[in-house]
Amino acid sequence: MRKIILLLIFITFSAHSQANRFTGTWSNENCKDCSKKYILKITMAQSNNKIFGTAEVISDNAELNSGIMDVTGHVYVLGEKAQITMKTKNGLSAGATLYVNENVIEFNKSGGSDVIPRDVILTKLYE
């Protein structure tokens, strides 16, 4: 009986994490109340608990442009939180924590270079 209950709990967690909530293209360009000094655009694909993709910071100020960055990371067990690392072609890197809720991601920089903004709310543009 215990084995069956544990198996059901495991299947529930596995099915919940298969939602791939982080997959898609996310950006802050449609934010009405946000500062428009920069636009952060991230395209990610989630497979089980791994994340791969690209990101770019676009700005009128040439110093704030990042170019294309590689994104790698992992999703935590319940699938609502992820830790990612973004690396530029120049070797600069920065880490961030992502929290997803429906079609919104809260992006919090956790360290690294100043290539990316500190806190941003991203909305899903498309899958």
Side-chain angles (χ1 to χ4, degrees), residues 79-94:
E80 297 171 351
K81 179 180 174 182
Q83 189 73 34
I84 63 169
T85 302
M86 298 188 284
K87 294 181 182 178
T88 66
K89 305 279 187 217
N90 302 340
L92 299 175
S93 67

Side-chain angles (χ1 to χ4, degrees), residues 6-60:
L6 289 174
L7 180 63
L8 289 174
I9 291 172
F10 177 73
I11 290 171
T12 302
F13 280 124
S14 297
H16 184 71
S17 67
Q18 292 294 322
N20 297 340
R21 294 179 177 184
F22 292 94
T23 297
T25 299
W26 304 83
S27 178
N28 67 329
E29 66 185 312
N30 293 336
C31 182
K32 295 177 181 129
D33 299 329
C34 303
S35 168
K36 294 296 182 178
K37 291 190 315 188
Y38 56 83
I39 295 173
L40 174 63
K41 189 173 189 178
I42 301 176
T43 301
M44 297 181 286
Q46 177 185 346
S47 176
N48 293 330
N49 65 341
K50 300 288 183 188
I51 292 178
F52 302 97
T54 60
E56 183 175 17
V57 176
I58 304 166
S59 176
D60 292 336

Side-chain angles (χ1 to χ4, degrees), residues 94-109:
T97 303
L98 307 175
Y99 299 94
V100 68
N101 186 5
E102 294 181 20
N103 286 333
V104 177
I105 285 183
E106 180 183 339
F107 177 97
N108 295 315
K109 180 179 166 185

